[in-house]
Amino acid sequence: MPTIGFAGLGFMGAGMAANILKAGHPLKVLAHRNRQPIDDLVARGAEEASNAAALGAECDIVFLCVTGAPQVKALIDGDEGIRAGARNAGREGLVIVDCSTSEPTLTRELAASLSEDGITLIDAPLGGTPAQAETGELQAIVGADDATLERVRPVMETWAARIMHVGPVGAGHTMKLLNNFLAMGYGAIFAEALTIGAKAGITPQTFDSVIRGSRIDSGFYQTFFQYVLERDRNAHRFTLANAHKDTRYLASLAEAMNVDAGVAKAVRDLYASAESQGDGEKYVPELSDIVAARYHTSLGK
């Protein structure tokens, strides 16, 4: 079986890596800040890599599941990065699978430059929740050529219930940004609608009694309102800082495509303002409280 490397053991990555290991693949993992996931995986049989270069030198397939474009770039092209490790080991044929939500322009640039070293980069950003990462039921939105996807598919199937091939390299990150724009756009709309309603005497409970089960209901709506109604912070664990990052990437992509995306910019700016006031580590449903507080009202019980 191919040796697998994994960098980025956060909410999603820890569950993904555990499923790869459970399927019997030799696994090398790279530590960052939180030791608990890596210690757990090492206890189950994974090997800890000393740096990203070791992943490049010793693995056949390396998965990245990190915050965004700067982290991806550093892991690949840092002084002790994956490219340097593979190059120094004379290792060609390595495949890097970027499961982060990153910038499509950078993804395509890295793929082109890595190919000169015999390394293939594909993008496979994720759909789903940390719970689905643990149960192996994530979605993967893949930008890749057919042959590379078929090579990595057996490993991806350990953590993904649905693998959607949306085009060549870069297409996965593009589609993921569009997906997250829709989701974060709904989050912004829900937050403002709840605040307007509260100011006009409509409680969140009344709001929910009309929307739940209607055509506007969705999985996103339900986890958002699990926080609004029940104050369950763990219902939707996606930070406002990540929401700002993703909407910023989408607005930049629109600009590169010569699209004057006014709605995207407005959504981006709302998340940017939440992060700038120190709320970046709060989760997306908590935007409802942040917006309500700006207008001196409250949505909580």
Side-chain angles (χ1 to χ4, degrees):
M1 301 181 79
T3 298
I4 310 302
F6 208 107
L9 302 172
F11 288 149
M12 305 292 267
M16 295 162 66
N19 280 307
I20 292 171
L21 189 62
K22 183 178 179 181
H25 291 280
L27 180 67
K28 297 179 183 291
V29 289
L30 184 64
H32 184 40
R33 288 174 295 186
N34 184 2
R35 288 292 314 179
Q36 181 178 345
I38 199 164
D39 289 342
D40 178 60
L41 289 164
V42 168
R44 298 188 200 186
E47 179 182 338
E48 183 173 355
S50 56
N51 52 36
L55 298 182
E58 300 167 8
C59 298
D60 301 296
I61 302 169
V62 176
F63 289 89
L64 309 180
C65 191
V66 293
T67 303
Q71 292 77 20
V72 171
K73 176 73 170 171
L75 280 168
I76 291 175
D77 276 342
D79 291 340
E80 296 183 332
I82 295 168
R83 186 201 300 264
R87 182 185 287 161
N88 292 338
R91 192 180 187 96
E92 294 190 358
L94 172 67
V95 177
I96 301 173
V97 185
D98 184 9
C99 298
S100 317
T101 301
S102 190
E103 294 188 270
T105 302
L106 174 67
T107 302
R108 290 189 290 267
E109 289 174 354
L110 284 173
S113 66
L114 285 165
S115 68
E116 298 175 3
D117 290 308
I119 302 169
T120 301
L121 172 69
I122 69 173
D123 45 323
L126 310 171
T129 65
Q132 288 173 308
E134 293 178 3
T135 58
E137 297 177 302
L138 292 174
Q139 297 177 350
I141 308 169
V142 183
D145 63 276
D146 291 337
T148 304
L149 175 56
E150 291 314 304
R151 179 180 167 190
V152 303
R153 183 185 292 274
V155 186
M156 293 175 64
E157 286 177 340
T158 67
W159 50 261
R162 188 180 179 199
I163 297 172
M164 297 167 285
H165 189 191
V166 298
V169 64
H173 282 146
T174 299
M175 188 62 231
K176 175 61 174 177
L177 291 180
L178 294 171
N179 177 87
N180 281 19
F181 169 46
L182 294 175
M184 298 310 107
Y186 272 121
I189 290 170
F190 293 157
E192 289 195 354
L194 283 164
T195 294
I196 295 167
K199 296 288 282 187
I202 300 295
T203 67
Q205 290 74 18
T206 299
F207 186 100
D208 181 66
S209 71
V210 174
I211 302 302
R212 191 172 295 270
S214 72
R215 291 178 64 187
I216 204 66
D217 195 356
S218 65
F220 181 91
Y221 173 86
Q222 290 171 20
T223 54
F224 193 99
F225 270 75
Q226 190 171 331
Y227 170 75
V228 172
L229 299 176
E230 302 174 23
R231 302 283 104 181
D232 180 3
R233 289 194 73 242
N234 291 320
H236 195 109
R237 293 187 294 172
F238 191 78
T239 66
L240 293 168
N242 275 335
H244 174 213
K245 181 260 295 182
D246 291 355
T247 53
R248 185 175 73 249
Y249 286 177
L250 186 280
S252 295
L253 178 63
E255 183 176 353
M257 298 296 104
N258 295 314
V259 176
D260 185 14
V263 174
K265 293 174 185 176
V267 172
R268 174 202 62 194
D269 290 348
L270 182 57
Y271 287 102
S273 69
E275 184 176 19
S276 69
Q277 71 181 46
D279 290 322
E281 294 309 305
K282 291 184 177 179
Y283 296 140
V284 166
E286 295 178 270
L287 183 66
S288 58
D289 292 331
I290 293 167
V291 174
R294 292 176 181 177
Y295 296 94
H296 310 292
T297 191
S298 174
L299 306 176
K301 291 181 179 179

